[in-house]
Structures are given as C-alpha cells and as structure tokens.
Amino acid sequence: MTKGVRPMAEAAVPERARRHRELQQARVGGPASHAPERLSNRLVASWQRSEDYGVPLEGIDPSFVGTFDNESLFFECGREVLSGLHRTLTNEPVSLMLTDADGLVLNRMSGDTALLRALDAVHLAPGFAYAERTVGTNGLGLAIADRVPTVVRAEEHYALNLTTYTCAAVPVLDPLTGQLEGCVNLTTWSSQSSDLLLALAQSAASNTSALMLARSRGHRPRPAQRGEVFRVETPRLEPGSGTLTTLGPAWTDALGQAGAAIAAGRIVAAVGEDGTGRATLLAQALRQQYPRERILAASPPAPQDSEAWIGLWTPELGKPDTGILVRDVDRLPAWVTEHIRDLVLQARVRASGAEGVPFCVTASRFESIPAALAPLVEAVVAVPPLRERVEDVMPIAHHVARRARGRDVTITGAAETALRGCGWPGNVRQLVDEVTRAVGHGDVLDVRHLSADVLSGTSRRLTRIEAFERDEIVRVLTRPGISMQEAGEELGMSRSTVYRKIAQYDIHVPRVGA
C-alpha cells in the first residue's frame, strides 16, 4: 500500500452523505448538535456551495486547463520563494504549490514521490483547476473564495477522495493594486501533524508579496483595506471649479444609463478598471434620483473584519430614505456576498410594491461579480478608462487643483500637453494623486512639477537603476529653457544617447529645446 494513503471503506459513502445532510441542517437552522462543533460556519457554507455547484461526494471531475501565464510577476516571485522553502523541506512529506486567482495549479514541488503520485491520482497537479466549483471544499479553493488563510483537514474536505490530505492555503494580493493574484498552498497527508503548515504557507505568501513589491519599481504598497462606510454628501457646485458634472460625453452617457436604471428600481453594477470613478458615477446617479435621502458607500474591509463591517451598514438596507453603494464586490469573501444577497432579497420582499431597493455595486468586470450577487444585477454600466476620455483630463485636473489649494491654479500649456498625453494606467485615481502632489509647489503647475511616471510611457518593469536613470533624464529635461545639448552635458551623455534614452523610456517632455 502507498505510504500514507488510507483506504476508504464502502460504508463511508452513506456515512459521508448522512454527515453532509446534518451540516446542511445546521446551515439552515436545524439542530446545532447535528454538526461537529469544530466545523466553522465558513466550512459549512463552503459545503453548501459545493453541493449547489453539483460537485459529487464520491469523487471529483477534474478540469484540465493546461495553459497559464508563467511570465507574471506573481508566478516569478512565488516560484522563487517556494523554491527556497522547498530546499528546507526536501525530506518532508509536503507539497508546495502556487495557484492563480481561479484555483488553477501553476506549479508543484515536493521531495516525497509517494505524495506526488497520490496527488496525481486526484489531479492536484499543474494545469488542473482546484476551485470550489470544480472539486468542492478544499484548502486552496476556500482560501480563494473567502480571501483569508485557510486550513482544511481530512474529513472537512467535501469530496471523499480528498480526505486523505490536509491543505493549508493563503491568498496572495498584488501589493500595488490589491487584486487577488492567487494563493500559496501546502498539502500533506491527513495523518501528519499540520500545526506548522499554515504558518509556513503564511510566511511564503508574505514573502511572495514582499518580493513583488521590491520588483515593482519601488512603488508604495496599496494601503490595507479598511472597510470604510461613509455618507455621500451632495457635491457643492462651484463656478469654474471643473466639477465632475462637466465631464465629456462618455461619462455623461454612462451617468445617464445608471440614472435611468436606478429610477426604474433596478440594481445596478458599474464595471471598469480600478480608479475610473465607478463609485463616483453611481453615487451621482443615486443622488440625482434621491436628492434628499442618505446614500451610504461601503468599501471592502480586510476579510477578517467582514463580520463587523456587515453590521455597520446592513441594518440600513431597504430603508426608504437610504441608498446603498457597495464598492469592489469582487474583493469580498464568498460567505459575505451570500449574506448580502440574502439581505437584499429580504429587503426587496419588505419593499414589495414600492419603488425598489436603492442598491448598487462596483466591480472590475461583470464576470468578476461573485456568483451570489451576479443574479441580482439587473443593469450593467461600463465606465471607460481615463485614456479613452481625454476630454475629461483637464476638467478633473483643474477641479482637483482648486480643491487642493483652495483657489484657482494655473496649469501651463506644457503641463497640459503632458497631462493629456499620459496614458493614466491608474486612471482618475492616479490623476488626482498626481495633481494633488504637483500643486504643492505653488499656484502654477508646470511640466517640471510632474512625475516621471506621467512623462514616460514605458509599460515594462524597470529595474531600480533604470528607474533612477529615467527619473534623472526627466528631471533635467523639464528644467525651463534647457537645450538637448545642455541636458546631455549635465547627464554625462552624448546628445544621441539622450535621444536614444528618450525613445527607450518613451519620455514625452513638451517643448524641449533643440
């Protein structure tokens, strides 16, 4: 018999089914004594989802995808971290894996050949998808669904042929965007001690995120999610301030779509890239329809704070004088989205015959909206990225500058050319941050006050040396009145080299002398 593998008696199948029914009873309010106390609500909810997905108890139906991005920063850093950890665990019966955000296994390392053969038998191998939807409750699938470190031991797995294993998995978020990149998963025999398994997985995930940040051109990490719940006030319309009510046709059209859907009592989702103004658009549309009512906007919390966060705003859901906007629902744990769905449906029942429940959400794509919430969405409004709304750049820039300084700010022609020419990968959020920082120099915003990220368009990752070189070139070229010859002399480069570097880093500094 293969080391560590325990045969499953045929009698275990009906016993397993009986236990599953008891867990369902516990979920829907049946006798709590029927379910083992050690099982958390998260596990019970995961089992219920697994059944809803149609995952069989007796086994798994493997889904082989095969292709994946092996050149991403996450894969590069995760593989390096796991390789180092693997060298210290060569003689241990542990398999180390990376998965993407959809549960696709990207790689696998272990020095235990018996464990590897057994994992092959259950298709826990590179190229196979191991999300809840595919194989039911398991460590990596639940970690991805709820976005928190997770251990699933032996009988806690949904499928019978996974009860031989214990899995510890920890999600990895992009340190700059906060997007879920995937997870680190450690798997061992269920007969082995798992006390340190989660600690090892957490260390590997943390090191992966830190390495990603170190290789991301020195940008600051995205602040941790705080779960803010705040009231959206009516914006003050100041003449000449360039408020967001004066934007171009793309924004105006999206705002009109959202307003019409809200007026019809529909639940609306605004989708688009981060920083495009999805929440602002929905807040404006809600305010247009409900000018005197409260509008509450809720941003996702850290997953471990979800329970308290829900308690802050859900009591307001369905009240006739309150509109609710939940941002970034694609970053919420699965159990939270299920709870929100139930509350929205209950609120709709209570509001039967009324205008409906003012409830809106934002997400990166409609496909990213969690399965529990997607069926509730009755209208989808796409918010275009800022690079497709060039006419909005200067109205937003003037508005932000005025708000930051408390008075009108002059933006020079050269600075305007640079602002309009930037691709704004961070969208409106990046523009707001850039202008807020730049106007700290005074009441005139010139091109020399703009950062190198705005004045160059290279999309590849730069090394620290390359980033320093680019920033120095931009600093010199934005000096008023400097010629290319003078710039080369200060940089210690020939004129032709300066031109070559400008092309290499895609630097676009307006009105540089010849």
Side-chain angles (χ1 to χ4, degrees):
M1 185 184 301
T2 304
K3 174 187 175 182
V5 176
R6 296 183 290 118
M8 187 65 63
E10 293 183 4
V13 176
E15 171 64 20
R16 181 78 166 165
R18 179 190 64 78
R19 182 165 171 265
H20 184 214
R21 288 193 298 271
E22 292 173 349
L23 285 169
Q24 289 185 63
Q25 291 174 356
R27 174 177 168 81
V28 299
S33 59
H34 284 183
E37 292 182 1
R38 66 186 179 86
L39 285 176
S40 67
N41 291 334
R42 288 181 56 230
L43 277 167
V44 175
S46 178
W47 274 50
Q48 182 63 62
R49 290 195 298 269
S50 300
E51 183 182 57
D52 293 343
Y53 295 146
V55 178
L57 279 168
E58 293 75 17
I60 60 174
D61 184 15
S63 175
F64 181 75
V65 178
T67 58
F68 55 86
D69 183 6
N70 60 1
E71 296 182 354
S72 69
L73 182 60
F74 164 67
F75 182 79
E76 171 192 316
C77 296
R79 179 177 55 185
E80 185 172 329
V81 169
L82 289 190
S83 295
L85 181 58
H86 172 56
R87 285 192 290 271
T88 69
L89 298 174
T90 301
N91 298 320
E92 297 296 325
V94 178
S95 176
L96 295 76
M97 307 172 207
L98 282 178
T99 80
D100 69 8
D102 296 318
L104 174 66
V105 180
L106 305 179
N107 68 350
R108 188 182 67 182
M109 306 174 192
S110 178
D112 190 316
T113 56
L115 178 60
L116 289 175
R117 286 196 299 268
L119 293 177
D120 284 341
V122 294
H123 309 288
L124 186 48
F128 285 90
Y130 242 73
E132 273 186 345
R133 185 179 294 274
T134 305
V135 301
T137 303
N138 68 95
L140 70 89
L142 185 51
I144 289 172
D146 280 352
R147 297 180 178 235
V148 291
T150 300
V151 178
V152 174
R153 299 175 174 87
E155 295 292 327
E156 294 173 347
H157 286 90
Y158 183 86
L160 281 167
N161 57 349
L162 295 183
T163 58
T164 307
Y165 311 101
T166 290
C167 302
V170 179
V172 178
L173 306 182
D174 186 301
L176 300 182
T177 67
Q179 293 283 356
L180 178 67
E181 291 290 330
C183 79
V184 170
N185 178 64
L186 272 60
T187 298
T188 187
W189 304 112
S190 59
S191 58
Q192 297 288 324
S193 172
S194 59
D195 293 343
L196 295 179
L197 207 61
L198 184 60
L200 287 173
Q202 287 178 308
S203 176
S206 176
N207 290 340
T208 297
S209 183
L211 190 57
M212 290 173 67
L213 179 61
R215 295 181 180 175
S216 297
R217 292 167 42 188
H219 289 295
R220 294 183 178 180
R222 180 188 178 92
Q225 296 179 164
R226 298 173 55 188
E228 296 171 317
V229 179
F230 54 91
R231 181 173 177 174
V232 178
E233 302 292 345
T234 302
R236 290 174 296 178
L237 305 183
E238 302 169 85
S241 64
T243 65
L244 293 179
T245 58
T246 62
L247 298 183
W251 178 269
T252 303
D253 180 61
L255 183 61
Q257 292 179 44
I262 291 171
R266 297 175 182 169
I267 292 178
V268 183
V271 300
E273 298 175 8
D274 277 356
T276 52
R278 301 167 302 189
T280 299
L281 181 133
L282 288 177
Q284 285 191 3
L286 282 166
R287 180 59 67 201
Q288 289 175 358
Q289 301 303 319
Y290 304 98
R292 295 181 178 83
E293 282 74 14
R294 291 191 309 162
I295 298 175
L296 298 183
S299 300
Q304 65 271 19
D305 298 328
S306 295
E307 189 169 354
W309 174 77
I310 286 176
L312 285 175
W313 63 269
T314 54
E316 306 301 313
L317 188 59
K319 290 185 177 180
D321 60 346
T322 303
I324 300 291
L325 164 59
V326 183
R327 304 167 64 175
D328 300 322
V329 293
D330 45 348
R331 297 182 181 179
L332 289 172
W335 74 267
V336 173
T337 64
E338 293 169 352
H339 187 67
I340 293 174
R341 173 201 59 198
D342 296 343
L343 292 174
V344 171
L345 291 175
Q346 292 169 13
R348 280 200 151 184
V349 171
R350 292 195 301 269
S352 179
E355 296 181 357
V357 178
F359 181 74
C360 301
V361 300
T362 73
S364 57
R365 301 175 300 142
F366 176 75
E367 295 80 7
S368 300
I369 297 176
L373 296 178
L376 299 180
V377 174
E378 299 160 307
V380 179
V381 177
V383 182
L386 188 56
R387 61 182 173 275
E388 296 176 8
R389 296 156 40 203
V390 178
E391 67 277 8
D392 292 346
V393 171
M394 293 316 298
I396 294 173
H398 280 290
H399 171 64
V400 172
R402 179 181 178 85
R403 187 177 61 189
R405 298 289 295 178
R407 52 186 175 274
D408 287 327
V409 172
T410 299
I411 300 179
T412 67
E416 178 174 342
T417 300
L419 291 171
R420 290 176 60 87
C422 179
W424 301 113
N427 290 296
V428 176
R429 184 179 299 149
Q430 182 187 4
L431 174 58
V432 170
D433 291 344
E434 179 70 24
V435 173
T436 301
R437 182 198 58 77
V439 296
H441 294 279
D443 290 338
V444 176
L445 193 163
D446 191 21
V447 67
R448 67 181 182 276
H449 301 139
L450 300 176
S451 68
D453 285 336
V454 172
L455 298 174
S456 66
T458 180
S459 58
R460 69 180 180 86
R461 295 199 309 273
L462 301 181
T463 66
R464 291 192 177 188
I465 293 178
E466 288 176 324
F468 177 79
E469 181 179 59
R470 181 205 61 178
D471 292 355
E472 279 297 291
I473 294 173
V474 168
R475 181 186 64 80
V476 172
L477 291 181
T478 54
R479 186 173 301 158
I482 194 169
S483 69
M484 193 65 74
Q485 183 65 38
E486 293 169 334
E489 291 174 357
E490 181 168 343
L491 291 165
M493 301 177 181
S494 67
R495 184 171 170 174
S496 61
T497 299
V498 175
Y499 277 117
R500 181 171 58 82
K501 292 292 184 180
I502 289 174
Q504 176 184 339
Y505 297 124
D506 192 18
I507 296 171
H508 42 89
V509 177
R511 300 181 182 179
V512 175

